[in-house]
C-alpha cells in the first residue's frame, strides 16, 4: 500500500481519482442540516462524505455529503476502486486511515484527512471520508466519535438491502447513536436543541422554552460548577471541551451524560456560540486523559466529607498528574487564608511570608499582603503565570517556573483558593487549562459543603460532650473508666450514654444506655434520660424504682424513640451489686482468677414501650479484684458481626486484658479504631474492696421533750468508743443543731447517723421533709435562735443537703484526729440504737447552748 506522508500527496491522490471522472450534482441534504452542522462543528470537520460501491463494484459513488466544499468544486462523484488514492486503498484493505495533514484544491488551507471503511470484514459497504479544518489532526475523542459514527452508518447501510440507491445515511445514523445536539448563544442564554437531547434529559418539546436554565436545572448540583466551566467562553476558543456529568430526570432517575462541545467566536462582532453534542454515558470511562481525571475528581469529591478529605483529593488530583512541585489549598476566612493543606508539608518548601505565619499545623497567610492574589479573588477567574512573570514575592516562591491560582467558586461566592506551582518553566496547554478550570468549580462547591459538614460535626461533638460526664468520680474501693466513640457514618452524635453516680459513702450506681437512632433528637432524649436516671438515683430510690420512674418519664414524652438501659447499684464495702436490665445487653464480669462470664440478669422491656412495665432485680456478689464491664451494641454487633459472636470476642478480650490498668483494659476492649457503623459506649469498674472500712452508728430520734439530750448522749458514747476526744464538743454541737432543726421544722421520723472513716466524722440527720434547710440571711442580735446553720457551716469542713426517698438528709463532715490503734473502750460502736434515758451524765448535757435550750422549750408541749 502506498505511503501518504503529507498534504500534497493526499491532494494528488484525490485529484487523480480516475480518467474520465465527471463531477455532477450531489444528492440533496437531509431535512435536518443544522444537526449535521453541529456534528461538523464539534468534531472540527469541514467535510463529511459517504461513498458506496456501484453495481459493478468498480467505482465508489458519493451518496451524501455535508459541510463546505461540496459539489462540483469539492469531492468527486466517483472514485475508481482500483485507483491509487487514500479512499480506494482504505476501502480495498478495510483499514482506517488517519492522515494528519491533507488538502483539497478548492481549499487554500491544509487539513487532516480520515477514511473509515463501512461494513465488516469480507463485506465492505463503503467509506466515510472526513476532512478536518485544523492542521493539528484529529484528537482521540474526535476519532472515537467518528469511529462510532462510521459504525452507525454501516448499520444503516446493511439495513437498506439495495446499495445501488441507498437512503442518505448521515442523519439516520446520528439518530441511531442517540446523540443530541445543541447551539447555545452565550449572550442571551437561549439554546437550540434537537429532539434527541430533550429525550435524553427527559422533557418534552412542548415543555421546553428554549432557555438554557431549563436544561441546566436538571443537572446534579455538585456537577453544575464543572459543567458551567466547560460551557463558558475563554481565551482558548476553538478547542474541544469534554465532560461527563450527571442529571436527574423528572422521573427521579439519575443518569450520566457525555458532552463534547466547542466555543465558536463570530468574526463580525456576532455573539459567541457553544456548539456541542450530548449522548448517554452509562459507564464512566477510565483512562489517563484530563477528562478522566476530572471525572475521577468528581467521584472522589462526592466521597470527601470533611475539609481535610477535600484537601487530600485535590493534592492527589493535581500534583502528580500535572507534575507540580507544590499544591496549596486554603479557605477564605475574612481577610486571611486559612490553609487546609500544603504539599509538601514542610515549612522549608514555602516562601518566607508563609513560614512567618506558621503558628499551628498550617500557616494563615494575610490576603492583604498578596495584592496579586487579592485581585484574582476579587475577579473570581483563574490566572496562570509563566516563568519570570511579575507577581508578589509571596506567590513567586510557590511557582518560580509557573503558577496557577484557582479561585474556588461556590454558590455564595469564592470559598477559597488553590495554588499550583512548578519550579521548572512550565507551559499551560489547552487541555490543562480546561482541567484546572473544571477543578476550580468542583472543589469550590465541595469545600463549601465540607466546611458545613465540619461545622455540623463540631456542633455534634460539643453536644455529645455536654450530655456525657466530663469526668468520673473517685470511688472508695474501686476505679471506674469509660470510653465513647461516635459512629463514623452520618452525623457523629447518637443516643449512647453512661454515668457513674456516687449515691452516698460506700454506694455507687453505674448506668449505661442507648437511645434508638443517630440524630439530634436521639441525643436530646439521651440527655433527658441520663438526667432523669441520675435524679431518681440521688433521691435514694432502689434500682428497680429508678428504672421504673425513667420508663414512665419516657412514655410520657410521647416520642417514637425508645431506649435500653442497664443499671447497677454497688455497695463498695461489701461488694454486693443489684442489677436491673431494660432491654439492654447483659453485663460482663471478669473474676479475680481471670475467668469471664456474662452475668445472667433478669431482663425487662426497653424504656418507653409500656408505662407499667416491671423491672426485676438481680443480686450478684463481687469479690475484690473483679472487673465489671457494661457495653452498648455498637461494640459487639455490626452488619458483619453477629451479636453472640461479638459478645464472645469481647469476653475473650476482657479475660486477656491486664486489670492493673483499667484505662488500657478499656482500650483493649475497643480494639483497632475501624469504620464503626454505630456508637460505642463502654463502662468498666474494677472493684478492689475498701481496705479501711468506716464504722457507723445510728440512732432513731423520738419526738420527746428531751430528744436532743438523748441524741447528744448517744453521740458522746459513740465518740468515746471511737476514741475521739478533743473534737467531741464540736461534733456534739453540730448534732444538737441538726437534730433541733429537724425536730422543729419537720414532721415525722428523724434519724441520726454517725460515720467515722480515717480523719473524718460525718454527721447525717434524716427527716421526712423534702424541703432543703434554708439559712437565714439576717439574724437579730436579740433573738435566741436562727443561728444553727451558721454554726454548722462554721464548724464543718463541708456540709449540705441531699434528697432521699421520702425526705432528705442534712449532713456535715468534721476533721478529727485519726484513732490510735488499741481496744475500744465500750465494745463495738457500729450499731443502730433506739432512744433511751438511762446513762445521762455531764458529758451528755454539757455544751448545749441557747439554740438547744430553746429547742427543748419548744418540744415540751409536744
Amino acid at each position: 500500500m502506498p505511503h501518504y506522508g503529507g498534504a500534497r500527496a493526499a491532494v494528488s491522490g484525490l485529484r487523480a481519482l480516475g480518467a474520465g471522472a465527471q463531477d455532477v450534482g450531489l444528492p440533496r441534504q437531509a431535512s435536518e442540516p443544522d444537526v449535521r452542522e453541529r456534528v461538523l462543528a464539534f468534531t472540527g470537520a469541514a467535510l463529511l462524505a459517504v461513498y458506496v460501491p456501484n453495481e459493478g463494484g468498480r467505482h465508489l459513488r458519493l451518496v451524501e455529503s455535508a459541510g463546505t466544499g461540496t459539489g462540483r468544486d469539492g469531492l468527486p462523484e466517483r472514485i475508481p476502486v482500483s485507483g491509487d488514492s487514500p479512499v480506494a486503498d482504505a476501502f480495498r484493505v478495510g483499514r482506517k486511515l488517519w492522515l494528519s495533514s491533507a488538502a483539497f484544491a478548492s481549499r487554500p488551507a491544509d487539513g487532516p484527512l480520515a477514511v473509515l471503511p463501512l461494513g465488516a470484514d469480507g463485506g465492505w459497504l463503503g467509506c466515510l471520508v472526513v476532512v478536518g479544518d485544523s492542521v493539528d489532526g484529529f484528537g482521540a475523542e474526535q476519532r472515537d466519535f467518528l469511529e462510532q459514527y462510521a459504525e452507525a452508518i454501516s448499520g444503516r447501510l446493511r439495513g437498506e438491502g439495495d446499495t445501488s440507491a441507498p437512503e442518505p445515511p448521515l442523519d439516520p445514523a446520528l439518530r441511531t447513536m442517540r446523540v443530541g445536539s445543541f447551539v447555545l448563544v452565550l449572550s442571551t442564554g437561549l439554546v437550540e436543541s434537537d429532539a434527541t437531547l430533550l429525550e435524553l434529559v427527559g422533557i418534552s418539546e412542548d415543555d421546553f422554552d428554549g432557555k438554557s436554565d431549563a436544561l441546566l436545572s436538571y443537572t446534579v448540583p455538585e456537577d453544575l460548577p464543572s459543567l458551567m466551566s466547560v460551557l463558558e467562553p475563554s481565551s482558548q476558543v476553538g478547542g474541544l471541551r469534554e465532560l461527563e456529568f450527571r442529571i436527574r430526570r423528572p422521573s427521579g432517575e439519575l443518569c450520566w451524560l457525555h458532552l463534547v462541545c466547542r466555543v465558536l467566536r463570530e468574526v463580525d462582532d456576532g455573539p459567541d456560540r457553544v456548539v456541542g453534542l450530548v449522548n448517554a454515558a452509562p459507564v464512566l470511562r477510565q483512562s489517563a486523559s484530563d477528562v478522566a481525571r476530572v471525572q475521577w475528581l468528581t467521584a472522589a469529591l462526592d466521597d470527601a466529607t470533611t475539609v481535610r478529605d477535600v484537601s487530600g483529593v485535590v493534592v492527589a488530583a493535581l500534583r502528580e498528574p500535572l507534575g507540580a512541585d507544590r499544591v496549596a489549598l486554603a479557605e477564605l476566612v475574612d481577610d486571611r487564608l486559612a490553609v487546609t493543606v500544603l504539599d509538601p508539608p514542610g515549612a522549608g518548601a514555602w516562601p518566607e511570608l508563609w513560614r512567618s505565619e506558621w503558628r499551628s499545623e498550617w500557616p494563615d497567610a494575610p490576603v492583604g499582603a498578596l495584592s496579586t492574589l487579592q485581585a484574582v479573588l476579587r475577579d473570581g477567574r483563574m490566572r496562570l503565570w509563566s516563568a519570570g512573570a511579575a507577581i508578589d514575592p509571596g506567590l513567586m516562591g510557590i511557582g518560580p517556573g509557573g503558577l496557577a491560582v484557582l479561585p474556588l467558586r461556590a454558590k455564595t461566592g469564592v470559598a477559597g483558593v488553590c495554588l499550583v506551582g512548578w519550579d521548572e518553566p512550565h507551559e499551560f496547554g489547552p487541555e490543562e487549562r480546561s482541567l484546572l478550570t473544571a477543578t476550580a468549580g468542583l472543589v469550590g462547591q465541595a469545600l463549601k459543603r465540607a466546611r458545613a459538614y465540619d461545622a455540623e460535626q463540631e456542633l455534634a461533638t460539643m453536644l455529645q460532650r455536654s450530655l456525657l460526664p466530663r469526668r468520673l468520680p473517685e470511688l472508695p474501693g474501686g476505679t471506674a473508666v469509660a470510653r465513647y466513640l461516635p459512629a463514623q457514618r452520618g452525623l457523629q452524635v447518637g443516643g449512647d450514654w453512661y454515668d457513674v453516680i456516687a449515691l452516698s459513702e460506700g454506694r455507687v450506681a453505674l448506668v449505661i444506655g442507648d437511645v434508638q437512632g443517630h440524630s439530634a433528637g436521639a441525643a436530646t432524649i439521651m440527655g433527658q434520660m441520663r438526667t432523669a436516671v441520675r435524679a431518681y438515683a440521688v433521691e435514694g430510690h432502689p434500682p428497680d424504682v429508678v428504672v421504673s420512674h425513667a420508663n414512665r418519664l419516657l412514655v410520657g414524652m410521647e416520642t417514637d424513640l425508645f431506649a435500653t438501659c442497664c443499671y447497677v447499684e454497688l455497695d463498695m464495702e461489701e461488694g454486693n451489686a443489684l442489677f436491673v436490665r431494660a432491654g439492654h445487653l447483659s453485663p460482663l464480669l471478669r473474676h479475680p482468677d481471670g475467668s469471664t462470664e456474662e452475668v445472667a440478669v433478669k431482663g425487662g422491656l426497653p424504656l418507653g414501650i409500656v408505662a407499667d412495665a416491671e423491672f426485676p432485680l438481680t443480686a450478684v456478689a463481687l469479690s475484690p479484684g473483679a472487673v465489671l464491664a457494661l457495653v452498648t451494641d455498637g461494640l459487639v454487633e455490626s452488619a458483619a458481626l453477629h451479636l453472640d459472636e461479638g459478645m464472645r470476642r469481647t469476653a475473650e478480650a476482657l479475660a486477656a486484658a491486664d486489670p492493673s490498668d483499667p484505662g488500657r483494659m478499656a482500650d483493649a476492649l475497643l480494639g483497632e479504631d475501624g469504620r464503626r457503623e454505630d456508637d460505642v459506649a463502654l463502662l468498666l469498674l474494677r472493684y478492689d474492696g475498701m481496705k479501711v472500712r468506716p464504722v457507723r452508728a445510728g440512732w432513731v430520734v423520738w419526738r420527746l421533750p428531751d430528744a436532743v439530750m438523748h441524741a447528744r448522749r448517744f453521740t458522746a458514747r459513740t465518740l468515746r468508743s471511737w476514741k475521739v476526744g478533743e473534737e467531741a464538743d464540736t461534733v456534739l454541737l453540730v448534732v444538737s443543731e441538726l437534730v433541733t432543726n429537724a425536730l422543729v421544722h419537720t414532721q415525722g421520723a428523724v434519724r441520726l447517723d454517725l460515720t467515722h472513716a480515717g480523719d473524718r466524722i460525718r454527721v447525717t440527720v434524716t427527716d421526712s421533709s423534702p424541703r432543703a434547710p434554708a439559712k437565714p440571711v439576717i439574724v437579730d442580735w436579740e433573738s435566741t435562735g436562727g443561728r444553727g446553720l451558721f454554726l454548722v457551716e462554721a464548724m464543718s469542713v463541708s456540709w449540705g443537703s441531699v434528697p432521699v426517698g421520702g425526705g432528705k438528709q442534712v449532713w456535715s463532715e468534721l476533721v478529727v484526729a485519726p484513732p490510735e490503734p488499741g481496744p475500744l473502750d465500750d465494745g463495738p460502736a457500729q450499731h443502730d440504737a433506739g432512744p433511751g434515758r438511762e446513762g445521762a451524765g455531764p458529758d451528755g448535757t454539757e455544751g448545749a447552748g441557747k439554740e438547744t435550750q430553746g429547742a427543748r422549750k419548744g418540744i415540751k408541749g409536744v
Side-chain angles (χ1 to χ4, degrees):
M1 183 174 179
H3 173 69
Y4 305 101
R8 298 309 170 190
V11 172
S12 301
L14 285 175
R15 297 178 83 176
L17 290 176
Q22 296 181 355
D23 295 332
V24 298
L26 297 175
R28 295 180 57 188
Q29 295 181 353
S31 60
E32 297 185 30
D34 54 339
V35 175
R36 284 182 290 175
E37 290 177 2
R38 297 168 193 175
V39 173
L40 293 169
F42 101 89
T43 57
L47 285 170
L48 287 174
V50 177
Y51 284 89
V52 298
N54 61 4
E55 295 180 359
R58 290 181 297 178
H59 290 81
L60 294 175
R61 187 168 63 88
L62 179 63
V63 296
E64 187 180 12
S65 66
T68 59
T70 60
R72 294 183 179 275
D73 296 331
L75 295 172
E77 184 189 23
R78 298 173 185 272
I79 300 177
V81 174
S82 59
D84 185 12
S85 68
V87 178
D89 288 340
F91 176 76
R92 288 195 305 267
V93 180
R95 191 185 71 175
K96 301 168 187 175
L97 177 65
W98 302 96
L99 293 180
S100 61
S101 181
F104 291 92
S106 59
R107 301 174 67 240
D110 294 341
L113 173 68
V115 182
L116 305 176
L118 303 175
D121 293 339
W124 299 113
L125 304 177
C127 289
L128 173 65
V129 179
V130 186
V131 180
D133 62 358
S134 171
V135 295
D136 296 331
F138 297 99
E141 298 303 327
Q142 293 169 294
R143 294 189 181 192
D144 181 58
F145 174 79
L146 291 173
E147 289 175 356
Q148 296 181 41
Y149 196 19
E151 184 178 349
I153 295 173
S154 300
R156 297 298 303 179
L157 293 178
R158 283 193 298 266
E160 293 295 336
D162 182 11
T163 58
S164 61
E167 182 78 12
L170 288 179
D171 290 323
L174 194 62
R175 289 193 296 269
T176 302
M177 296 172 62
R178 295 196 71 225
V179 175
S181 64
F182 69 90
V183 176
L184 170 63
V185 182
L186 294 172
S187 60
T188 62
L190 298 179
V191 59
E192 297 178 6
S193 172
D194 63 2
T196 305
L197 176 58
L198 298 179
E199 180 183 352
L200 289 172
V201 177
I203 58 178
S204 64
E205 297 185 34
D206 296 336
D207 295 334
F208 180 57
D209 58 2
K211 297 180 180 179
S212 58
D213 293 344
L215 294 176
L216 295 175
S217 62
Y218 293 95
T219 306
V220 173
E222 290 80 6
D223 294 354
L224 189 58
S226 59
L227 178 60
M228 295 303 299
S229 66
V230 170
L231 294 177
E232 68 180 4
S234 69
S235 59
Q236 297 297 317
V237 176
L240 282 179
R241 301 180 178 187
E242 185 179 16
L243 182 70
E244 288 181 354
F245 62 99
R246 296 167 297 174
I247 65 167
R248 190 172 295 279
R249 293 174 175 169
S251 61
E253 178 188 3
L254 186 69
C255 64
W256 284 87
L257 295 182
H258 178 217
L259 165 68
V260 181
C261 66
R262 68 167 68 236
V263 179
L264 302 179
R265 182 156 294 167
E266 299 297 334
V267 179
D268 299 330
D269 297 330
D272 294 342
R273 297 179 302 151
V274 177
V275 180
L277 296 185
V278 178
N279 67 321
V283 179
L284 188 64
R285 295 189 306 276
Q286 299 294 329
S287 67
S289 65
D290 294 333
V291 175
R293 281 199 292 267
V294 172
Q295 298 308 312
W296 174 89
L297 180 64
T298 303
L301 290 176
D302 281 343
D303 294 333
T305 54
T306 66
V307 172
R308 185 177 293 273
D309 294 339
V310 172
S311 303
V313 170
V314 171
V315 171
L318 295 182
R319 187 179 179 191
E320 184 175 348
L322 299 182
D325 296 290
R326 294 174 191 84
V327 174
L329 188 70
E331 293 182 89
L332 189 61
V333 180
D334 297 329
D335 60 342
R336 301 185 69 82
L337 291 177
V339 176
T340 61
V341 69
L342 295 178
D343 194 78
W350 297 87
E352 176 61 30
L353 174 65
W354 298 71
R355 294 198 298 269
S356 63
E357 300 291 336
W358 216 295
R359 298 185 178 92
S360 59
E361 181 183 7
W362 305 118
D364 271 357
V367 178
L370 303 169
S371 58
T372 304
L373 181 61
Q374 197 172 14
V376 174
L377 294 175
R378 184 172 55 252
D379 297 340
R381 288 190 171 274
M382 179 183 69
R383 293 291 302 275
L384 305 175
W385 286 277
S386 301
I391 55 178
D392 297 325
L395 296 179
M396 177 65 73
I398 298 177
L403 177 66
V405 178
L406 314 178
L408 306 178
R409 300 188 301 273
K411 292 181 180 179
T412 57
V414 178
V417 63
C418 179
L419 307 176
V420 186
W422 291 263
D423 288 336
E424 300 298 326
H426 183 77
E427 297 295 333
F428 299 95
E431 296 82 5
E432 191 172 285
R433 291 171 182 260
S434 299
L435 171 64
L436 293 172
T437 303
T439 300
L442 288 170
V443 175
Q445 192 63 32
L447 189 64
K448 196 75 173 180
R449 185 184 67 249
R451 170 48 59 194
Y453 178 86
D454 282 350
E456 187 180 56
Q457 293 303 309
E458 183 178 358
L459 178 61
T461 302
M462 292 177 60
L463 174 64
Q464 193 78 51
R465 290 177 178 175
S466 66
L467 295 177
L468 293 174
R470 291 189 177 183
R471 61 181 62 88
L472 300 183
E474 295 184 3
L475 303 177
T479 303
V481 296
R483 296 290 186 269
Y484 175 82
L485 298 176
Q488 292 185 336
R489 294 180 181 177
L491 187 63
Q492 294 185 12
V493 60
D496 288 16
W497 92 89
Y498 60 87
D499 207 350
V500 177
I501 309 168
L503 300 176
S504 65
E505 19 158 9
R507 286 194 312 125
V508 62
L510 308 175
V511 192
I512 196 165
D514 185 2
V515 178
Q516 172 195 10
H518 298 87
S519 63
T524 303
I525 295 295
M526 177 267 284
Q528 291 174 309
M529 294 307 298
R530 173 178 173 254
T531 303
V533 170
R534 171 174 279 269
Y536 295 138
V538 170
E539 283 185 354
H541 299 295
D544 54 343
V545 177
V546 170
V547 177
S548 179
H549 285 359
N551 174 61
R552 289 179 177 272
L553 176 66
L554 184 56
V555 171
M557 291 181 184
E558 297 183 352
T559 176
D560 294 333
L561 302 178
F562 63 85
T564 64
C565 175
C566 184
Y567 184 96
V568 185
E569 183 179 309
L570 177 62
D571 184 348
M572 302 299 290
E573 293 184 25
E574 304 295 337
N576 297 324
L578 294 176
F579 291 82
V580 174
R581 188 165 62 91
H584 202 80
L585 299 175
S586 296
L588 296 174
L589 179 62
R590 184 186 190 275
H591 297 286
D593 61 0
S595 61
T596 305
E597 67 170 329
E598 187 175 329
V599 182
V601 179
K602 298 178 181 179
L605 292 175
L607 306 180
I609 303 297
V610 179
D612 297 329
E614 296 183 357
F615 302 96
L617 282 169
T618 301
V620 177
L622 304 185
S623 302
V627 178
L628 184 63
L630 307 180
V631 301
T632 58
D633 56 358
L635 178 64
V636 297
E637 186 178 24
S638 67
L641 181 64
H642 192 269
L643 177 61
D644 293 338
E645 177 65 16
M647 290 292 287
R648 186 188 65 80
R649 293 183 183 181
T650 305
E652 291 178 352
L654 183 63
D658 183 6
S660 62
D661 189 340
R664 291 186 178 180
M665 199 175 197
D667 295 336
L669 292 184
L670 294 178
E672 297 182 1
D673 186 11
R675 192 167 184 82
R676 297 175 297 277
E677 300 176 0
D678 198 359
D679 305 342
V680 174
L682 170 65
L683 180 59
L684 289 184
L685 174 71
R686 187 188 65 196
Y687 174 66
D688 301 325
M690 300 181 67
K691 297 180 180 178
V692 180
R693 295 189 178 184
V695 290
R696 293 185 174 87
W699 180 265
V700 177
V701 181
W702 286 1
R703 290 185 174 273
L704 299 175
D706 51 358
V708 176
M709 179 190 67
H710 290 295
R712 287 172 55 84
R713 287 179 176 178
F714 162 75
T715 303
R717 292 195 305 271
T718 303
L719 294 179
R720 189 167 55 250
S721 69
W722 291 347
K723 296 185 178 181
V724 176
E726 296 181 359
E727 299 86 358
D729 289 342
T730 303
V731 176
L732 288 171
L733 178 58
V734 170
V735 168
S736 298
E737 301 304 336
L738 293 183
V739 172
T740 299
N741 278 347
L743 294 174
V744 172
H745 299 292
T746 69
Q747 301 293 326
V750 176
R751 178 183 175 85
L752 169 65
D753 289 287
L754 302 175
T755 305
H756 188 198
D759 63 345
R760 297 292 178 99
I761 286 184
R762 184 183 182 97
V763 179
T764 303
V765 175
T766 305
D767 59 59
S768 57
S769 173
R771 298 183 58 186
K775 185 171 63 175
V777 179
I778 299 177
V779 178
D780 190 350
W781 289 105
E782 300 296 330
S783 62
T784 59
R787 301 182 182 87
L789 293 181
F790 285 111
L791 292 174
V792 172
E793 182 179 21
M795 299 298 178
S796 306
V797 176
S798 59
W799 76 283
S801 173
V802 294
V804 296
K808 68 175 179 295
Q809 286 183 348
V810 183
W811 57 272
S812 166
E813 282 194 356
L814 303 99
V815 177
V816 298
E820 297 180 0
L824 297 177
D825 294 339
D826 295 339
Q830 186 161 337
H831 60 277
D832 193 348
R837 301 186 179 184
E838 69 282 355
D843 57 88
T845 57
E846 292 177 359
K850 291 183 179 180
E851 295 290 330
T852 304
Q853 295 173 5
R856 291 175 182 170
K857 294 179 181 179
I859 296 174
K860 286 182 179 180
V862 178

